[in-house]
Amino acid sequence: MTRTLAVIGAGPAGLAAAVTAAEQGMTVTVIDAGLQSGGQFWRHPSEPHLPHFARDESVGHHHWRRFVDLRTRLDAAVARGAVRRLYGRQVWQILAGGTGFVLHTAAVAGADPVPPAERAVSAERVILATGAYDRQLPVPGWTLPGVMAAGGVQALVKAHQIAPGRRAVVAGTGPFLLSVAAGLAEAGVEVVAVCEANSLLRWARRPLHAALEPGKLLEGAEYARTFLRHRIPFRSRTIVTRVHGEDRAEGVSLSRVDTRGRATGEPTRVDADLVAFGWGFTPQLELAVQLGLRTRLDVDGSLVVDIDADHRASLSGVYVAGEATGIGGAVQSWTEGELAARTTVADALGTDAPARRRGLRRRVARARAFARAMHAASVVPTEWSRWLEPDTLVCRCEEVDAAAIAEAVDDQRAEDPRDVRVTARPGMGWCQGRVCGFALASLVGERTGCRWSTAQIEPLHKRSIGIPLPLGEIAALAGASTPPEPESPHAHALAPATAAPDRP
Ligand SMILES: Cc1cc2nc3c(=O)[nH]c(=O)nc-3n(C[C@H](O)[C@H](O)[C@H](O)COP(=O)(O)OP(=O)(O)OC[C@H]3O[C@@H](n4cnc5c(N)ncnc54)[C@H](O)[C@@H]3O)c2cc1C
């Protein structure tokens, strides 16, 4: 009987999955690149510096009690030897073979180094709960210091309690803008404009779906109160068409736009030293694509892992939960985490709780209906590329501008994003297309007249080495003994219960 499980990611989905699987009898290794659990949603200050923070139920984060509950149960599972935590570790490669999977890991900057022999982790089953990252669109001036991804701004405020500027403009689309603006205002930053590219009336098109999630409506009401208290101006159908400044951001031009994103009227200038852009999120799929899991395009144009109703992926032994299956928010993520874990337990141990799984499936379906309404209300305007100028950088790593992408398509006959990538090099640099991938696919699609397909997008996520890695890590593989194929229920030795702190 197989019992070992590796959970990659300790955000809402991964935490719920690890805790559930351990409580149902699996032996779990949970791995996260972060130095502590929580993922993006429950990002919080460093626990060694604020040790009581992670146990304090009165903390103002949304759904913090849920986090405290999961953390407490995880600690208990660690103490009885059912869970091993590997934090500050990034999985850079995952290989399927024999009776399970081998995960190659590397310590992240700032974490303790890992001896070569301990870098590989094996398990019979894997739950991928790798979350998402910020989706960005280029605009003239977006490379100036002071311009940041909205998620990055949120991380500085939540984890480091730093106010990253004095006067902020928050722009893009989606409810996440409200959360970022509210967080900035509470941190003492003057938020001079929140610019939503779409009309709020778009929400009215699916009122029932929105009403299905009363928790979200309450969150919205809370943000409205914060906006009123801090007098934050909210402008719908408005975008930033340019960031001004010499050495850093000094202001922005704001324009009203029509439903397609075409500017109407004259832009107005607003002074700001912080500009936070959020255009939704992109699921983090490197490991899923490495494993060759079947993928599909979601309603927001993102590539996601294609799963069955119980969260099994197309490869036996692999399950996926959270934003890697589609962007839907934290509640959906932790519900999916529990469902994926219960399915894993049913497959591995034969013990099932069918009624509980049915309930979880229904909860996920409700959350997905809300997510569809959210995506329909928060679309990237189809003609956003009008905001670009020929010399606007699209790929910051390789310094490829909009004109070079147009030239690759028009003059060099590149047919799809992958072709353009090998021709003009966008997406070939340090971030491997994580920042420019969506913009690139969208620009190429517009020029070729073809909406992008799974086959065109998947190669942009394909990396045999998932993260930038020192060559020494790969060289060390030659010297390290390969971990034994997992064969018994406890094939991977667990660290002693007492030696498993929340940090590596
Ligand atoms: C930057 C950012 C900030 C966000 N802030 C908010 C917010 O304030 N409010 C809100 O409602 N929603 C926020 N979201 C949306 C949010 O991601 C989700 O709703 C929720 O956190 C999703 O949970 P998850 O478990 O699916 O993924 P996540 O919370 O993203 O957790 C995934 C975890 O997997 C880990 N991971 C990924 N790949 C690897 C790997 N190869 N090796 C090891 N570890 C890996 C990551 O370190 C991360 O901790 C944010 C998203 C982003 C990208």
Side-chain angles (χ1 to χ4, degrees):
M1 192 175 289
T2 58
R3 295 175 52 151
T4 55
L5 169 70
V7 177
I8 308 175
L15 265 185
V19 166
T20 306
E23 288 175 352
Q24 301 298 314
M26 306 280 296
T27 299
V28 181
T29 303
V30 56
I31 308 170
D32 198 293
L35 298 180
Q36 53 196 25
S37 49
Q40 303 292 2
F41 187 67
W42 288 317
R43 201 175 268 286
H44 57 281
S46 160
E47 290 172 23
H49 293 109
L50 284 177
H52 302 300
F53 194 92
R55 318 225 171 267
D56 181 355
E57 295 205 358
S58 66
V59 169
H61 276 42
H62 286 123
H63 301 291
W64 190 251
R65 277 188 184 184
R66 170 79 55 165
F67 173 68
V68 174
D69 171 58
L70 288 172
R71 255 294 300 265
T72 307
R73 288 159 59 195
L74 190 79
D75 287 349
V78 169
R80 61 173 189 277
V83 170
R84 164 171 75 148
R85 272 185 287 224
L86 301 178
Y87 288 172
R89 280 246 218 141
Q90 196 135 21
V91 179
W92 57 269
Q93 191 177 54
I94 177 165
L95 301 171
T99 54
F101 300 87
V102 176
L103 286 57
H104 288 126
T105 71
V108 300
D112 295 336
V114 188
E118 292 172 25
R119 288 177 193 168
V121 172
S122 28
E124 289 132 319
R125 290 169 199 271
V126 175
I127 295 180
L128 297 177
T130 48
Y133 50 87
D134 280 287
R135 179 194 273 177
Q136 291 294 287
L137 292 181
V139 68
W142 76 305
T143 52
L144 285 167
V147 182
M148 297 179 68
V153 168
Q154 183 86 321
L156 285 175
V157 173
K158 273 185 173 178
H160 303 286
Q161 304 191 312
I162 288 172
R166 295 206 169 106
R167 277 173 65 87
V169 170
V170 180
T173 188
F176 185 52
L177 303 181
L178 308 183
S179 161
V180 174
L184 282 170
E186 299 287 9
V189 177
E190 184 189 359
V191 182
V192 289
V194 174
C195 305
E196 162 62 60
N198 290 288
S199 159
L200 292 186
L201 291 175
R202 294 183 79 107
W203 281 97
R205 291 187 193 161
R206 298 181 190 226
L208 280 179
H209 289 161
L212 281 174
E213 290 284 352
K216 301 272 187 194
L217 296 180
L218 283 177
E219 258 177 54
E222 219 175 280
Y223 292 137
R225 271 200 304 278
T226 309
F227 273 44
L228 282 174
R229 200 168 57 247
H230 292 278
R231 296 170 190 274
I232 301 174
F234 179 87
R235 306 183 190 206
S236 62
R237 282 246 186 118
T238 304
I239 55 157
V240 169
T241 46
R242 172 179 288 278
V243 182
H244 303 279
E246 284 296 319
D247 302 323
R248 57 162 299 115
E250 291 164 9
V252 295
S253 286
L254 302 183
S255 289
R256 290 273 297 163
V257 284
D258 65 12
T259 49
R260 303 178 69 82
R262 292 175 295 207
T264 57
E266 285 303 302
T268 52
R269 176 157 171 158
V270 172
D271 289 342
D273 63 354
L274 172 66
V275 186
F277 283 120
W279 291 102
F281 300 106
T282 298
Q284 178 116 16
L285 291 201
E286 291 86 359
L287 299 178
V289 173
Q290 266 183 20
L291 277 172
L293 303 186
R294 195 172 54 239
T295 56
R296 64 177 178 83
L297 285 181
D298 205 7
V299 285
D300 64 342
S302 297
L303 193 73
V304 298
V305 183
D306 196 15
I307 45 166
D308 73 9
D310 287 309
H311 286 255
R312 293 182 193 88
S314 55
L315 181 66
S316 174
V318 183
Y319 308 78
V320 188
E323 311 253 83
T325 70
I327 304 299
V331 176
Q332 180 177 322
S333 287
W334 75 62
T335 313
E336 291 190 6
E338 181 180 344
L339 178 54
R342 287 189 178 275
T343 306
T344 310
V345 169
D347 292 350
L349 305 179
T351 47
D352 199 0
R356 178 75 188 159
R357 276 212 281 162
R358 267 198 307 280
L360 291 167
R361 279 198 294 264
R362 276 199 299 275
R363 185 69 192 88
V364 169
R366 229 168 63 216
R368 282 184 189 276
F370 177 84
R372 278 196 296 280
M374 177 183 75
H375 291 310
S378 317
V379 291
V380 171
T382 46
E383 297 194 22
W384 69 269
S385 65
R386 285 172 177 263
W387 317 334
L388 301 180
E389 286 174 2
D391 64 353
T392 307
L393 286 186
V394 176
C395 168
R396 312 164 61 122
C397 306
E398 291 288 313
E399 301 189 343
V400 182
D401 61 24
I405 290 171
E407 190 190 315
V409 176
D410 298 345
D411 301 344
Q412 300 179 44
R413 297 281 173 251
E415 287 180 347
D416 60 36
R418 188 182 37 176
D419 256 8
V420 174
R421 189 161 77 151
V422 294
T423 310
R425 295 194 57 81
M428 295 281 246
W430 181 254
C431 89
Q432 288 286 290
R434 286 181 184 87
V435 178
C436 67
F438 179 85
L440 171 65
S442 165
L443 288 174
V444 175
E446 189 182 294
R447 282 204 102 71
T448 56
C450 301
R451 173 107 176 111
W452 63 82
S453 63
T454 309
Q456 288 179 357
I457 295 294
E458 209 177 70
L460 299 181
H461 290 264
K462 197 167 186 121
R463 294 166 199 122
S464 43
I465 295 175
I467 50 161
L469 200 66
L471 281 176
E473 291 283 343
I474 301 166
L477 285 181
S481 57
T482 311
E485 284 291 331
E487 53 200 7
S488 80
H490 297 281
H492 66 257
L494 288 177
T498 49
D502 205 16
R503 285 165 59 87

